[in-house]
Amino acid sequence: MRDRTKGMDAVAVSAALEDARFDARQDSRFEDLADDVRGRAELAEWERLDQLLAAAPAGTVYDSDTDDVVQAELAVDAAAAADREAELREAARVVARANELQALRELHALEQTEPRDGDETARDELTRRAGGYVQADVDT
């Protein structure tokens, strides 16, 4: 919807709002469409844009790049993506350390390794791999 609205003026947004209201009335007649969350969200967005442009100076066209609501949503999405990426990196680090500890165990050199920050989570990963059994050599 944001791509369609870019460059629209108040008249075009009002017309699109009326179309969205018509679609909502039509959808309410059908049981499978009456609970359409997407349609209600789109209608609400058209209403918001209509109010936004009604309050703007005459001749103003909509631009999502300058819309504070859109920019806030994009910032939230970017922060969530960064959090997911950080979680994936941490999970990969834990798996790599668990693999390293497993290799040291197989070489009978586990007792010679220096502990590192975060080894508890690597130990938990090895315990998970072993089906819940805590291996004494890794635990110490």
Side-chain angles (χ1 to χ4, degrees), residues 2-63:
R2 290 184 178 141
D3 290 337
R4 291 188 327 218
T5 58
K6 203 169 214 173
M8 292 178 92
D9 62 4
V11 174
V13 169
S14 291
L17 173 58
E18 287 308 311
D19 289 345
R21 285 178 176 156
F22 176 79
D23 290 343
R25 285 190 301 274
Q26 294 296 88
D27 289 351
S28 70
R29 297 178 181 180
F30 300 98
E31 188 175 318
D32 60 327
L33 298 175
D35 294 328
D36 180 28
V37 176
R38 183 178 177 181
R40 286 193 308 266
E42 189 170 316
L43 176 60
E45 183 66 3
W46 282 120
E47 289 171 343
R48 185 185 75 78
L49 295 179
D50 186 56
Q51 292 172 357
L52 182 72
L53 289 177
T60 302
V61 294
Y62 178 73
D63 184 3

Side-chain angles (χ1 to χ4, degrees), residues 31-125:
E31 188 175 318
D32 60 327
L33 298 175
D35 294 328
D36 180 28
V37 176
R38 183 178 177 181
R40 286 193 308 266
E42 189 170 316
L43 176 60
E45 183 66 3
W46 282 120
E47 289 171 343
R48 185 185 75 78
L49 295 179
D50 186 56
Q51 292 172 357
L52 182 72
L53 289 177
T60 302
V61 294
Y62 178 73
D63 184 3
S64 59
D65 294 339
T66 60
D67 187 340
D68 292 339
V69 171
V70 171
Q71 296 308 309
E73 288 174 0
L74 292 174
V76 167
D77 291 347
D83 288 346
R84 284 190 302 275
E85 183 65 29
E87 288 173 6
L88 290 173
R89 279 193 308 275
E90 176 60 16
R93 188 199 62 75
V94 168
V95 168
R97 179 62 174 161
N99 290 342
E100 182 181 353
L101 292 174
Q102 182 66 39
L104 289 168
R105 170 194 279 149
E106 291 167 3
L107 294 171
H108 303 288
L110 191 58
E111 64 280 350
Q112 298 168 12
T113 188
E114 290 289 324
R116 295 184 193 162
D117 287 340
D119 273 358
E120 299 82 17
T121 53
R123 180 191 59 102
D124 293 343
E125 170 64 14

